[in-house]
């Protein structure tokens, strides 16, 4: 194994280590998140970490088999995030404003 190949292997191994540590921290955030929005964001980041892990595996094996899978996961992560954002936006609508004496404003 030549020098550049050794450097590649060390960097890919370090990247996988960072992905594993970030995944563990995200699982903690998913289980202990103070709100549903925090948990939803953590799940979105978890999807991105899965994509990063597949990219590292693909780089380690020097195989492009996982690229279409990564593309589908990115699309599903995006649509899931948009769906959660729309759900939270509908659920957290502001209440109608009332006048100074607690009466509704004129129409």
């Amino acid at each position: 194994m030549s020098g550049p190949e050794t450097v590649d292997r060390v960097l890919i191994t370090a990247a996988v280590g960072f992905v594993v540590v970030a995944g563990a921290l995200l699982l903690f955030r998913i289980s202990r998140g103070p709100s549903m929005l925090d948990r939803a964001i953590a799940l979105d980041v978890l999807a991105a970490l899965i994509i990063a892990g597949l990219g590292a595996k693909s780089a380690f094996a020097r195989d492009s088999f996982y690229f279409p899978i990564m593309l589908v996961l990115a699309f599903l992560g995006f649509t899931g995030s948009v769906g959660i954002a729309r759900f939270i936006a509908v659920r957290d609508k502001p209440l109608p404003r009332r006048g100074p004496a607690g009466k509704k404003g004129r129409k």
Side-chain angles (χ1 to χ4, degrees), residues 4-49:
E5 289 177 352
T6 304
V7 171
D8 283 348
R9 297 289 182 191
V10 168
L11 290 176
I12 291 171
T13 305
V16 168
F18 284 128
V19 167
V20 167
V21 169
L25 291 172
L26 274 171
L27 289 176
F28 176 76
R29 174 54 55 197
I30 290 169
S31 66
R32 299 269 324 248
S35 70
M36 278 304 290
L37 186 59
D38 289 330
R39 289 183 175 107
I41 291 171
L43 285 172
D44 187 40
V45 174
L46 185 63
L49 276 179

Side-chain angles (χ1 to χ4, degrees), residues 58-101:
S58 179
F60 191 78
R62 299 190 190 281
D63 185 17
S64 62
F65 173 75
Y66 294 103
F67 289 157
I69 298 169
M70 292 165 49
L71 184 64
V72 169
L73 283 175
F75 178 71
L76 289 174
F78 171 74
T79 55
S81 297
V82 170
I84 289 171
R86 287 185 55 90
F87 171 72
I88 290 174
V90 168
R91 189 185 69 176
D92 294 339
K93 276 189 178 178
L95 296 174
R97 295 183 68 187
R98 297 186 178 263

